[in-house]
Amino acid sequence: MTYKRSLTIEICGSSGDRSLAAGEILIKTLSDIGYHVISFDAYPAEIRGFGKTVAHMRAGREIMLSLSSKVDILVSLNDRYAIEQLKNLNDEGVVIFDNRQRDITYEVLQQDEGQTDKHHLGPGVYTEEEGWKEITSEQVSIAGHLGPGMYLYGVPLYQLSQKTTNESRSRNIVVLGSVAALFNIPKNEFIGNLTAKLGKKDKSVDSVVAAFEEGYNYVRENVVKLDPYSFERLSVDRKGYKLMDGNKAVAQAAIDAGCKLYAGYPITPATKIMEVLFAELPKHGGAVVQTEDEISAIGHVTGAGFAGVRAMTATSGPGFCLMTEFIGYNVMSETPVVIVDSQRGGPATGLPTKTEQSDLNHALFGGNGDTPRIVVAPTSVKECYQWTAEAFYLAEKYQMPVIVLIDLFLSLSVRNVQLDPLPDYKKGSNKLPSQEDMKLYLRQKITDDGVSPRSLPGQENGYQVVSGLEQNEYGTPVYDEYSHTVMTQKRFRKIKTALDHDVPSPERIGQKGRVKLGVISWGSTAGAVADAVDSVLKEGKSVAMLKLIVINPLKEKEIQAFLDDCEKVLVPELNYQGQFANWLSIHFQQKFLRFNKVATRPITHDEIEAEINRLLKE
Amino acid sequence: MQKKSLKYVIIGDGHAGNSAAETLRKGSPGSDIVIISTKPTHYFDHSLLATFLLDKKDITSLYVYPYTWYKDNNIRLRLNQTVTKVIPDKHELILSHNERVYYDRLLIASGAKPKLPESLSRYKSLLTVFTDAVDAMKLREKLGTFRHVTMVGGDCIGLHLAGAMLKLGKSVTFVLNEYNFWPLEFDETVKDKLIGCLKKKHIEVIADDMTTEIVKDGTRLNVLTKNGKIVKTDLAFLTSGMVPNIDFLDGSGIDVQTGILVDEYMHTSAQDIWAAGECATVYYPELKDYRQTTGEVNAKMLGNISAKNMLDEKRAVSLAEPGKITIEGEDFITYGWKGFSIDI
Amino acid sequence: MHTLHGRALPVASGAKLARPELTVLALVGDGDGLGIGAGHLPHTIRRNPDITCVLFDNAIYGLTKGQTSPMTPQHQITRSHPMGNPDPKMNPVLLALSYGAGYVARGFAGAPDEMQRLFEEGIRHKGFSFIHIMSPCVTFDKVNYLYDNLRSWVRLLPAGYDSTNLDRAFEIARGVELFTGLIYSKPSLEQGAR
């Protein structure tokens, strides 16, 4: 690729245009020829009207953990929808469109289900507010809407699709051929992925490949390429890489970490975790249950945790709220559970399809009483895998709930990742009672590290009572000052032990030593910060970032050392209150500069970069 | 100055079209102005084309205005899209992708393309053209693949191109006759002077002859002439003049001859449609006759006059001052071009 | 494991799924099992895990000192309803039958031998078993579930009662008489526990 560090591509169409399928093939191909990719089809902000779909992806030579604000290449399978996407296109962006449509108003509206009535009223759109409005072809053809420096390439998508497959539905494949030719993407990989996607069914595969070739050849013969973008093959081997989204990574981690029970209730955007596990977990000897509500889901997981197996549930904000009582219960009864919360816009039902980082307060503080819990927030798909697996280990070892906070962006964005195999010692971490312990078994035995040996149901002489009541070492409910004090201390001591033994130092990225600006970030926003810091460092700016994955407990000493190095400290996050900055403010005497958005979309690297540059100039 | 805000559409992104757009914008700040061009590249300076071959500059270095100029002036550019039909009754254009574009007032400034003499039409695929930025870009990409070029005919850009070829160490042959050095005021004295100058530059000149045949010879070409000469060459450039781009006017009812016939106010036979530049055949009151004009100077002037008339400021056309190009210290008179030289 | 109030069924289901070799019982009361956690009952029955749910019904909220529970009869005066409970009570046996439970029985705390037999049968039953036990709250209930009252209310199932006949079971459950014993047991081939 020339000219830019990364390129962002959008394929926009109506629901029948199969733009997402085209996007999948494209991103797979780019990954195969050596690019790092990140796609987020839910990204485009204005999905309105009927069935507008946009495949959105970014590809580059270096690892990328965030999206760009601007699009470089816009492929239109439906001009009317694509026109709305133009406002995100770079000033020197490329537009590919169908330059031989039969009748542009008719065609565009045809694709726009249920909105055309050409025979009676002529092409137009009916809306509640404005009634019937005639549409001119200028309004629905993208060709007249480009900015002056943009590049427009026309390919007769409809004609070529008809010619090769006798239907107009293969326009998405024709355009992939054109994209391959325009941006020098090796053809063989493309065709391989295309046929793999279709499956080797019948002759129709040949005609679809022919559609691809037509799109390719048309560009080679007719189009003068003027834009500087290209994707030649890179000499990097991405064989060990897999394309997956955060949900898939979480599910895979559960399988690999030996999770034997998953219980959940469908909720966007976490549902896919359950779907994947329904298909996969039984093959690995696990059970999956779709429960009547999230309370039942966490109840199932609690029962399994009590029974001594690794178990998990995944949900989003509203479901997480229902689970809250159980968080306290798991703290009190010292039962290991893993709860994945994929955050979406809130409060209440909120914005089910939009990303946000606003459940942090709830994850950290939700529930009554003094309730220590471990909260981890992966920043990338790769870390979704690593830290979900880690969550099982931590939950089991410290007999407490571990909350994995991800968000809709991480859940749904597909990236090519190479997963590191899990270390063996992470696979079983129960602190089981010794023979000595079994002489007089104490479920809630006071220990130095706070962790009591845990007998599992069915163990001889291991009789125990656990409950949500305060208890003494035997597990007998007690309400006296002494017991409540030592038991609360014991529960918090586990957190301290975890901090000392199992929480890694947060990763510092960027300039060493003293810096003008430090950025502390968490969750998916840390991806945007990492990308931004990487790029301002190349400009020689004095910046460093600290990436926090374990949000509770905090590595205070290491964080303080970082703060001491920074003239100013910025904490960007995708929520209104600055929940993470607030959390840090509890722990450190420092003024944190905030950068908060409730944007309904991920913060982009360029937004962070602009903020960094602004603060450096101040 | 107009009060009403109109939609002005200009077909063509060359000297005439852009000069008209600029005038229209000044005269009517609130109106819509759209330039439609079939070319993927944008309004470029012809006199830079040859030097473009000599360096590695970006294609945007050829452009007369940066893109921001269009943004700042709120002029919409529609590049790489072709007008296939004009329907004066409906005030409508049809583009090749079946979009219908409405105009209040239309300027046709679609320019001209290289003229292919009938005798050579069979050899079209063997001839190379060098008229715009895309041609220059393509030629630059294959500079390493040839050593000798032949100019079939000659014109200002041809001279300019020859200069660049010499500088690149290529050898050059001209096959000339009086019909195809048309932008110069051409007579026997001028011809002899020109041949002398070209020879001084170590250019081979085959004068008073005509290319009749082009034959493929392996990877090379043989250019055969009427007088039996055979030029062994790598590339044969077609530089035999221009024909107006007016195919899309078929069936529109607009009067055309060689080019689009316009009166001294640049108005065509159709209501609300003007034409300017190399696509127009203009009535000059001074000559009491129509004339096909060529070149940047004419195009800019005619574009400007058309725009004034489109803004209802009646302005008649007059002949441009002749210009000159210089070769080896000798001046040659031209009507319409400037900035070209073989001494680049 | 003493779970959260009302959540014994999901927790028991989870434990059973995690460790199928364990014998799992969920002991609930009328307050949590028919009140706050009643929503779990139909779904647990539907999923039919091989666990046994015993509902100890004392018709009052005893732990909080005598408020109306879902099993408190209409018009009974309680701490929370000094003017009398306005709502009719629930019918746990009929609920369990309606939701499709494969083993439904009723026992009385004054008849421990029968209770023991029902527990054993219920645990042996492959699939979800539901046992309603009427069990006096001797501290806070002075009018309703008294041992003497219950002893005079309960009836043994008629001789020759066929516990595999679902229609008969519904009749028994709907009636005003408080029959104890095995009211319904799905024939073992159809039990289909998971």
Side-chain angles (χ1 to χ4, degrees), chain B residues 172-176 194-196 198-199 203-207 229:
Chain B
V172 181
T173 300
F174 269 84
V175 182
L176 284 183
L194 179 70
I195 292 170
L198 293 176
K199 284 188 171 162
I203 291 173
E204 183 192 8
V205 182
I206 299 169
K229 286 243 168 68

Side-chain angles (χ1 to χ4, degrees), chain C residues 141-188:
Chain C
D141 180 5
K142 302 297 185 193
V143 292
N144 182 25
Y145 274 12
L146 310 179
Y147 273 104
D148 287 348
N149 282 355
L150 283 171
R151 237 174 235 123
S152 66
W153 294 343
V154 295
R155 294 275 179 278
L156 285 178
L157 286 163
Y161 176 79
D162 176 9
S163 67
T164 63
N165 185 332
L166 187 58
D167 290 341
R168 274 295 280 144
F170 271 112
E171 274 174 42
I172 293 287
R174 272 200 302 266
V176 285
E177 303 273 26
L178 288 171
F179 288 101
T180 61
L182 174 57
I183 294 171
Y184 177 68
S185 171
K186 203 179 249 186
S188 58

Side-chain angles (χ1 to χ4, degrees), chain A residues 245-257 259 272-277 280-281 312 384-385 388:
Chain A
D245 59 23
N247 279 347
K248 182 87 198 301
V250 166
Q252 190 61 49
I255 293 165
D256 294 350
C259 172
K272 199 176 140 203
I273 296 172
M274 179 164 71
E275 290 171 2
V276 172
L277 288 173
E280 296 298 324
L281 199 55
M312 176 177 91
C384 281
Y385 177 81
T388 302

